[in-house]
Amino acid sequence: MRGLDQQVAVIAGGGRGIGKEIAKALASYGSKVIIGSRTEEQFKGTAEEIRGLGVEADGLPLDVQDQASIQQFVEQANRIHGRIDILVYCAGTNKRMPAEQYTTEAWDEIIGINLRGAFLTCQEVGKRMIEQGSGSIVTITSMLSHIATPNQSAYSASKGGLLQYSKVLAVEWAKYGIRVNSVSPGYIETDLNSANFKRQAFRDGVLGKTPMERFGLSHEVAEAVCFLASPQASYITGISIPVDGGFLAGHQNIVML
């Protein structure tokens, strides 16, 4: 991907799953990456793995539910290379239950990580990007930012909110030379949804409604992120790219069971 070499990329939630693949993909194109995660083993391990490829990488502690942790993380990340060119917000969690049974604790945790954490992280990084007059932010939203499925009220609310928040940032911050876009993954097998992927009925139901008739791979999401983060997307802001095998195109009004 042209234009990513020597760019400083910060990945919130980059210690595992899709976030880790995004960090590795950005590094493969020459970006200097900084991984943020709550789990020390994950952010240190991912950074070490990337350094093994001959690319600069650092790992820092980050709890997106704690504003002080976010502020410290961004300050430390900015200090390492003196700037932040790219922010990818990939921190996320989910719990499934009927809407009438959803607990306040579960709701608050999901909204806190998926939406409030994104707000605080983008705001903190955005201040620095405004000062430098440039930057690219990519948020990881979801197919459920666009459609509704049962038993995921908090997740859908958080990801729908994140999509709209990203669009507002795109509109507000364009004048500062900052682009803000989103990637909406479809059914990508990760640690977050591994339990569902073990159910044959779930697998058959999803594949039967996915035009490409297969699940997505984390690196396919990562490549879309790299494109949006790069100068090759220099006139693109405020959009969301679905990486879903055609699911949304064929099923905008279908509710999955």
Side-chain angles (χ1 to χ4, degrees):
M1 197 77 64
R2 298 193 310 275
L4 287 172
D5 188 47
Q6 299 302 305
Q7 294 286 290
V8 179
V10 170
I11 302 94
R16 66 173 184 170
I18 291 174
K20 181 177 181 177
E21 286 299 317
I22 292 169
K24 290 168 62 178
L26 286 165
S28 74
Y29 292 119
S31 294
K32 304 172 183 178
V33 299
I34 302 170
I35 297 103
S37 172
R38 282 186 299 181
T39 307
E40 182 175 0
E41 181 181 359
Q42 291 178 0
F43 69 72
K44 284 188 174 180
T46 300
E48 184 177 356
E49 183 178 338
I50 291 173
R51 285 195 298 270
L53 303 174
V55 181
E56 290 187 58
D58 294 273
L60 298 172
L62 171 63
D63 181 354
V64 298
Q65 297 185 85
D66 182 345
Q67 186 171 6
S69 174
I70 292 171
Q71 291 171 338
Q72 184 177 23
F73 168 76
V74 175
E75 183 179 342
Q76 289 178 314
N78 189 68
R79 191 183 305 130
I80 291 173
H81 297 291
R83 69 182 195 278
I84 296 174
D85 301 307
I86 298 164
L87 167 66
V88 181
Y89 190 87
C90 195
T93 191
N94 191 15
K95 292 182 180 178
R96 302 167 190 264
M97 61 187 78
E100 70 276 10
Q101 297 175 18
Y102 235 99
T103 65
T104 303
E105 292 77 15
W107 179 276
D108 287 346
E109 180 184 4
I110 292 166
I111 297 295
I113 293 174
N114 296 1
L115 184 55
R116 182 177 181 271
F119 152 64
L120 292 170
T121 306
C122 290
Q123 185 182 67
E124 201 66 29
V125 172
K127 292 175 184 177
R128 288 159 174 79
M129 289 182 170
I130 288 171
E131 289 178 359
Q132 68 192 27
S134 64
S136 179
I137 296 173
V138 182
T139 60
I140 304 303
T141 51
S142 170
M143 196 166 61
L144 298 191
S145 301
H146 308 270
I147 59 172
T149 69
N151 303 320
Q152 300 199 71
S153 55
Y155 186 79
S156 295
S158 69
K159 291 297 187 176
L162 180 56
L163 177 61
Q164 289 302 110
Y165 176 63
S166 302
K167 290 180 179 180
V168 172
L169 290 185
V171 171
E172 289 193 19
W173 290 353
K175 62 186 177 184
Y176 301 118
I178 302 169
R179 296 183 301 103
V180 186
N181 293 292
S182 301
V183 171
S184 294
Y187 288 98
I188 314 292
E189 193 166 3
T190 67
D191 292 344
L192 186 62
N193 56 26
S194 59
N196 270 321
F197 276 76
K198 292 177 182 177
R199 297 192 293 114
Q200 192 60 45
F202 174 85
R203 298 179 70 88
D204 292 343
V206 170
L207 293 179
K209 294 177 173 62
T210 302
M212 292 184 71
E213 297 183 339
R214 68 173 177 86
F215 297 111
L217 303 173
S218 293
H219 80 81
E220 292 174 313
V221 178
E223 291 296 329
V225 171
C226 288
F227 167 69
L228 289 175
S230 78
Q232 293 188 75
S234 58
Y235 198 53
I236 298 175
T237 195
I239 64 101
S240 177
I241 295 180
V243 181
D244 65 353
F247 190 99
L248 282 178
H251 302 85
Q252 283 283 358
N253 300 308
I254 290 180
V255 175
M256 283 290 297
L257 301 178

